[in-house]
Amino acid sequence: MAIDSDVLVIGGGIAGLSAALSAAREGAEVRLVTEAETTLHHASGLLDVLGYTPDGEGPVVDPFATIGDLPDSHPYAIVGERTVRDGLAMIDEVLGETYRGEHTDANALVPTHGGTVKPTARYPASVAAGLASDDRDVLLVDFERLTGFDAGVAADHLADGGIPAETSAATVEFPVTVRDDAKVTRYAHLLDENPTVTVDGRDRHVRAALADAIDPHTGDAKRVGLPAVLGVDHPAEIRAELGERLDAAVFEVPMGPPSVLGTRLEDWLYAVLDDAGVEIEAGGGPIVNFDADDRTISEVYMDRSGSPIPYGAEQYVLATGDVAGGGIDSDRDGVAEPIFDCHVPHPSDRYEWFNDDAFGDHAFVTFGVVVDETLRPIDDADDPEFANLRAAGAVIGGYDYPAEKSASGVSIATGYAAGRHAAREV
Amino acid sequence: MSDTESRDSREVEQSDTEDGYEPRDIFGTTTEMDLRSGADNCTKVGTCDAECPVAEVDDDFPGPQFQGPEQWRLSSKGDVEIDDSVTKCSNCLRCDSGCPSGVPFSEMHNTARAKYVLEDQPLSIKKIRNRILANYRTSAWLASKLPRTANFFMNNGIVRWLMEKTMKIPSEREFPEFATQTFREWWAERGGEATSKERAQEARAQRGDAPVHSDEKRVAYFHGCYSNYNTTQVAKSMVRAYESLGYEITVPKQKCSGTPMFANGRVDDARRHAKVNVEHLGDAIEDGYDVICTCSSCSLALRQEYPDLFDLDGIDELAAHTYDALEYLRIHEDLEAELEGATVDAPDVAYHAPCHSRNQGLGRQAVELFADVDGVAVTDVGDSCSGISGTYGWKAEKYETSMAIGEEMFEHMEAVDAETGMTECPTCAMQMEHGTGYEIMHPIEVLETALT
């Protein structure tokens, strides 16, 4: 016996979540297994499609218009522009008002915590007022003791980048004295709960006291940017209250991990999957093995402290990520996809896998499985490895997502397509 | 340096062995537990601190990144004492599941806590109290000899006032009631293994799905302390549910799983108990039994903490053959078919997934299992920690922290349209009851009603 479903999705990143959602929408019984339930806590929360071309040209103005120019082996070329749009439309629909960007094909330019600007197709509503293309004057605010965001550096960097607005910066004391290296979630929960604090002998709620602290610095600024810590549960409410008190548009600046924007996105997508009837099993261990008969997978096995836990399905989606995510593995002898041992093309000389320049073009970034037009991994003779296995997201090779800024878009598009193909075979 | 140059120099270094490369042992061999690789894995991204429920409410707690990798590095430099803040860790293991780099936090914390308690911590009332709490089995065993008297005294106002004053046991908490008959006494009176075999065979004959006489379908029950001395109804439900599906049950000799001992740094006590458990459960495994637990912390201990901390013969086999009671049935039975059309007479419940269930990947199984069963609505109250963490919330100085962590869960429970709670962990159940006044059930109790 095994724990059964129609479609089993392996992996809990954007690709896995997209695949599970699209399969469930096709009517399949879907189960998603993920090694950790906190995968997106490390994500920026921005959903990019294509920021730069594979040749390094950019930022790209219209990522959709660029898809036609990509090499045939690129995941976007394999699924086609239409699927990229349909996948995004699925995500737009479920995220609703919480995300922006669907009104245009053009990339938005989102300022991030170092003051660099990231081209992205979709972004949380909470960062909308911060776009670099906006000409309203902007004040960036950081907190004493909060690491990971220096408003002064970010404001200078943005100004150097030539944004069409005056930038200024201020550092304020957060109204609750937290410990020196408190994490972003600590601030976020304080703003969610909004307890009363005493500031200068006055009893104030935390949000009001924070606005009091920022107010003297606003000057002519019509926009105020804060580190992305404005609540996990009530971000819209917190932003609205601060905006009203400051008489300015308040926005969040995306930060590195652990990320409140990523955590919120995960909460929302998990809730969407729950509503769609997807069973989620998180944190139980990695999938390490499988049984197959005549190139058809019958069961896969999770390793839970040495006990093999069997999961059975008619169709499987592999969304385990790339080298960094553990979906592709390497040792001195070669590069491999560790669960099903799908074919991963790579140079036999391992000194060709990387570049000595840390920021150079590393071959390993593009390592991954090769897929056919229905996203089935294929072997070195171009035959499907298994009749009922599909791949989605960064486990697919042939593109350099960190350089292209295409991680989310490829995950959504291939996840959407793999989920649909899988569900339609059930 | 160009690509070719760097490559050539590497090849020169390696050319002295036949294969071109021979790994060198730089750090030497040691019989001590080596956590260096765990510390080296840490990239200081800080997700562990962000996930930590104690750091969330207590700014004096430095958080898991310090307690684990940083403290390990400090203490390995020489004669540095373990910081006493390690006793503030509640052992919920959320840092383990949050870490993207596989740092073995729980193993590091358990090791550091044990070193602190056994070597560095000065003797105090609290230290003695912690050892008594850690050895709950001993107190429970004593109480079970005169359960009615124990129940009377343990919740008597004067006794509790004295306990708070002398032992720092918070008087706010209600002591769990001791059963007038322990599970093992009930099991023996019922006829033990022989009766179980008979009942399982009857069920198999009725079901016709397995041979009546067979060595398949046999489980060894690790009941732990709490369902033996306190919530015996959980253990009895497990027995009836499994027998109705044709399983023969054995209840091997056993001691405490060690969970409260790890959490209090008493790895010495835990090891003694583990030896007994590994020996007797190991014998059952050799005879073809799998081990099942109804307490999520017991299953976690047997599966993860034992092989992490102890080097005993058969410990890996035990880990690999241990399952949670619901998990085991989900793997081996078609529970969906069994429960199809079932109606249970149970109240709707607000379900809390214990941290130790989530850590085993079992946080959603109860919700999924009862989703299509008529008569009971199970609502998940979300991912917050209950805050009691075993003996943690039973310490006067930790009581406030424990309740502050639990606040979110209490609120979510109140928001759900149910007046009863459900969880797998006995101490989470105590906290749920303490914070809301609800009665708390175990999923196996609901399953028994649905199956029988």
Side-chain angles (χ1 to χ4, degrees), chain A residues 179 186, chain B residues 53-63 88 392 401:
Chain A
R179 70 156 187 264
R186 176 97 170 94
Chain B
V54 179
E56 162 87 33
V57 298
D58 181 358
D59 278 317
D60 295 329
F61 180 62
K88 286 189 172 187
Y392 190 84
T401 304

Side-chain angles (χ1 to χ4, degrees), chain A residues 83-307:
Chain A
T83 302
V84 180
R85 289 183 181 276
D86 289 350
L88 267 181
M90 173 182 80
I91 296 294
D92 287 340
E93 189 192 323
V94 297
L95 290 178
E97 283 299 296
T98 59
Y99 265 68
R100 298 284 160 80
E102 70 270 29
H103 63 285
T104 172
D105 277 357
N107 269 328
L109 299 174
V110 175
T112 62
H113 58 115
T116 49
V117 164
K118 169 159 167 150
T120 188
R122 300 289 185 270
Y123 44 93
S126 68
V127 311
L131 297 193
S133 49
D134 193 328
D135 60 9
R136 292 174 294 169
D137 291 352
V138 58
L139 167 72
L140 295 183
V141 177
D142 64 14
F143 306 147
E144 290 285 2
R145 284 189 295 276
L146 175 74
T147 55
F149 178 55
D150 185 314
V153 170
D156 288 350
H157 198 160
L158 277 176
D160 287 348
I163 73 161
E166 289 294 318
T167 64
S168 56
T171 299
V172 303
E173 188 75 53
F174 193 79
V176 179
T177 310
V178 293
R179 70 156 187 264
D180 282 355
D181 58 348
K183 290 293 169 279
V184 289
T185 40
R186 176 97 170 94
Y187 295 96
H189 288 139
L190 282 167
L191 288 164
D192 273 333
E193 285 156 21
N194 202 21
T196 307
V197 288
T198 309
V199 183
D200 300 332
R202 275 207 306 168
D203 277 351
R204 298 286 273 163
H205 286 292
V206 167
R207 295 175 198 169
L210 178 60
D212 292 346
I214 297 170
D215 200 38
H217 303 282
T218 45
D220 293 331
K222 296 282 178 287
R223 304 187 281 158
V224 175
L226 290 151
V229 300
L230 303 185
V232 172
D233 298 327
H234 310 294
E237 191 184 304
I238 295 167
R239 219 166 55 247
E241 180 174 344
L242 292 175
E244 205 167 297
R245 290 181 183 277
L246 294 170
D247 194 21
V250 168
F251 64 93
E252 291 181 295
V253 180
M255 312 244 300
S259 145
V260 168
L261 298 181
T263 303
R264 268 184 223 148
L265 178 61
E266 185 169 87
D267 286 354
W268 289 330
L269 288 178
Y270 267 46
V272 164
L273 290 189
D274 209 17
D275 285 346
V278 174
E279 306 295 353
I280 301 174
E281 299 200 20
I287 300 291
V288 293
N289 213 340
F290 68 101
D291 285 335
D293 195 16
D294 195 20
R295 289 201 168 204
T296 300
I297 299 162
S298 54
E299 280 171 339
V300 297
Y301 295 92
M302 182 183 284
D303 176 13
R304 192 173 287 162
S305 312
S307 330

